[in-house]
Amino acid sequence: MPQWPSLPFIPYPPSKAGYWSPVTSTLNWCEEDYYATIYSAEIINTVTNLLFMWLGIKGIRSCRRNGHDSIFEVAYYGYLLVGTGSFLFHSTLKYPMQLVDELSMIYTTCLMCYASFSYSRPTGVRIFLAIALTSLAVFITLYYHYLQDPVFHQNAYALLTTVVVLRSMFTMEITLRPKWRQTTEEDRLARQKQGLTVPSKEHQHYENVRDTKILKTMWFMVVYGLSMFLGGFFIWNLDNHFCTEIRGWRRVVGLPWGIFLEGHGWWHVMTGIGAYLYIIWGIWLRHSLNNRQDEYYLWWPHFWNFPEIIRLDPSGKNKNGLAKKAS
C-alpha cells in the first residue's frame, strides 16, 4: 500500500442497502455502492453527469439563439438524454436505466452520422440514409437486449463514432484546405464561359487565409476532443483493471480526496467535454459547407472554456455589439 501524505479527511462510510436495491444492471462500477446516501448507488458517477446535462441545455439554447441547423439541436437533445440516462443509471443501477444510458449514446451518434453523410445529398439518398440508420439503431437495440453483453454495445459505439469522426475530418479537409479548391487560370476561364461566378484573385486570397485559419483551429479542437475521449477511456480502464487496489487507496486517503480516484467519474467529465466539442465542430463545419464562415465565429477565449458558435449581425458584430473576433 502506498504511503499517502497526511491530510485531513473523513473516513469512508460503509456500503449499505439503498433505496433502489437490489442491483439489476449487468454492469457495476468500481465506485462502492450506497456509501454516501441511500438515494444514489454511485454518488460520484451520478453527479458527474450534471456536466452533460448542463452542456446539453447550453447547446440547445445556442442552436435556437444562433440559428444553427435543426439536426444539431436534435443532437444536443440526444446528448442531454445521454447525461440524464447515465444520471439515472448510476443513481439506481437498474437495468432499464442502463438501457436508457447506453442506447442513447448509439442514437445520438446515429444522428451525427446522418448529419455528416446526408449533407447536400438528393432527397432519395437522405431518405435511404435515414431508414438505414434507423434500422441499424433498432438492430443494435434488439440485439444488445438479447445478448446483454456490454462489450457489444461498446464496440458498436466505438465503430460508429470512428466512422463519423473520420468522415467529418475528410469533409473538413476537402472543404477548407485551399490546395484542394485552388482555382487555376484555366478553371477561371471555363467558369466564365459557362456564365458562373468567378471570385477575384483578391477575394480568393482572403478566403484562403480565412479558411486556413479556421482549419487550424478546427484541427486543434479535433485533437483536444479526441485527447479527452481517449484520456477518459484510459483512466476508466485503470479503474476496471485495478479496482481492488484503487478501492483500498480511497479508504486510506478518505473523503474528499478519494473522489479524485473515481475513474468512471473522470470518464464522464472527459467524454462529456469531448462529445460537446464534436458537436460544436460539426456546427462550424456545416456553416463552412454552406459558405457562411463570415456570418459566424467561434467564441473560445481559452481552451478551458466551453466554446460556442455565435452568429454575427449584418454589421459584423456579435450579440453584445462587439466586433467579430478572429476565428
Side-chain angles (χ1 to χ4, degrees):
M1 182 76 65
Q3 296 297 315
W4 299 91
S6 179
L7 294 169
F9 68 92
I10 301 170
Y12 265 79
S15 296
K16 50 190 173 289
Y19 181 83
W20 307 102
S21 296
V23 172
T24 60
S25 62
T26 62
L27 289 168
N28 199 344
W29 310 103
C30 191
E31 184 174 7
E32 296 181 48
D33 297 348
Y34 294 110
Y35 65 89
T37 170
I38 63 170
Y39 298 107
S40 179
E42 298 172 341
I43 187 65
I44 302 303
N45 288 347
T46 298
V47 298
T48 46
N49 284 292
L50 294 176
L51 178 66
F52 264 94
M53 298 162 75
W54 174 64
L55 288 178
I57 294 171
K58 175 182 173 68
I60 292 167
R61 294 180 63 188
S62 178
C63 285
R64 294 178 178 178
R65 184 171 58 249
N66 293 294
H68 304 319
D69 287 5
S70 58
I71 187 65
F72 296 107
E73 183 176 340
V74 175
Y76 273 122
Y77 274 110
Y79 178 96
L80 176 60
L81 181 61
V82 170
T84 304
S86 186
F87 183 96
L88 296 174
F89 169 40
H90 290 288
S91 292
T92 65
L93 292 180
K94 292 295 187 181
Y95 180 66
M97 296 299 101
Q98 179 183 349
L99 291 181
V100 174
D101 172 24
E102 295 177 329
L103 292 175
S104 59
M105 296 166 63
I106 298 293
Y107 303 154
T108 303
T109 309
C110 285
L111 283 172
M112 294 305 295
C113 191
Y114 178 82
S116 180
F117 284 92
S118 67
Y119 176 78
S120 75
R121 301 294 182 184
T123 302
V125 173
R126 293 201 301 270
I127 292 173
F128 172 80
L129 185 61
I131 293 172
L133 287 171
T134 301
S135 300
L136 177 61
V138 170
F139 167 76
I140 291 174
T141 300
L142 296 177
Y143 195 58
Y144 178 48
H145 182 59
Y146 168 74
L147 284 181
Q148 296 193 6
D149 181 1
V151 175
F152 169 74
H153 163 265
Q154 291 163 11
N155 288 338
Y157 174 69
L159 181 60
L160 278 170
T161 301
T162 300
V163 169
V164 174
V165 170
L166 290 178
R167 167 68 180 184
S168 297
M169 288 179 178
F170 172 79
T171 303
M172 176 180 68
E173 277 289 323
I174 293 297
T175 303
L176 294 173
R177 184 72 66 184
K179 72 176 182 179
W180 299 121
R181 64 171 192 222
Q182 196 67 43
T183 303
T184 65
E185 198 59 35
E186 292 78 8
D187 293 333
R188 298 171 68 84
L189 291 173
R191 290 177 65 86
Q192 285 177 344
K193 289 179 180 179
Q194 296 173 26
L196 300 175
T197 302
V198 180
S200 67
K201 292 182 179 180
E202 292 77 12
H203 187 73
Q204 187 69 59
H205 175 72
Y206 160 76
E207 289 187 347
N208 289 346
V209 172
R210 177 199 64 191
D211 291 348
T212 299
K213 194 172 184 179
I214 290 175
L215 188 63
K216 182 179 178 181
T217 307
M218 280 189 177
W219 271 118
F220 175 80
M221 185 181 292
V222 170
V223 172
Y224 181 36
L226 286 177
S227 298
M228 296 298 287
F229 258 106
L230 297 176
F233 182 72
F234 174 74
I235 294 172
W236 173 27
N237 271 275
L238 291 178
D239 215 37
N240 292 336
H241 286 90
F242 301 103
C243 181
T244 302
E245 293 86 348
I246 292 172
R247 282 186 173 183
W249 297 346
R250 290 188 198 128
R251 291 199 166 269
V252 170
V253 300
L255 292 168
W257 318 112
I259 290 173
F260 297 101
L261 296 175
E262 296 290 354
H264 197 73
W266 282 111
W267 159 256
H268 288 162
V269 171
M270 296 174 77
T271 55
I273 295 171
Y276 176 82
L277 287 173
Y278 175 72
I279 300 177
I280 290 290
W281 173 39
I283 291 171
W284 203 13
L285 183 57
R286 176 61 63 90
H287 288 313
S288 297
L289 289 171
N290 290 331
N291 199 29
R292 299 179 69 187
Q293 296 96 310
D294 291 327
E295 298 177 35
Y296 291 86
Y297 80 98
L298 174 70
W299 179 87
W300 198 12
H302 306 287
F303 76 90
W304 58 82
N305 294 115
F306 295 107
E308 184 178 1
I309 306 297
I310 297 177
R311 180 172 55 187
L312 297 164
D313 64 28
S315 67
K317 296 182 178 181
N318 63 22
K319 61 185 179 181
N320 297 316
L322 301 175
K324 174 185 175 183
K325 291 183 179 181
S327 300

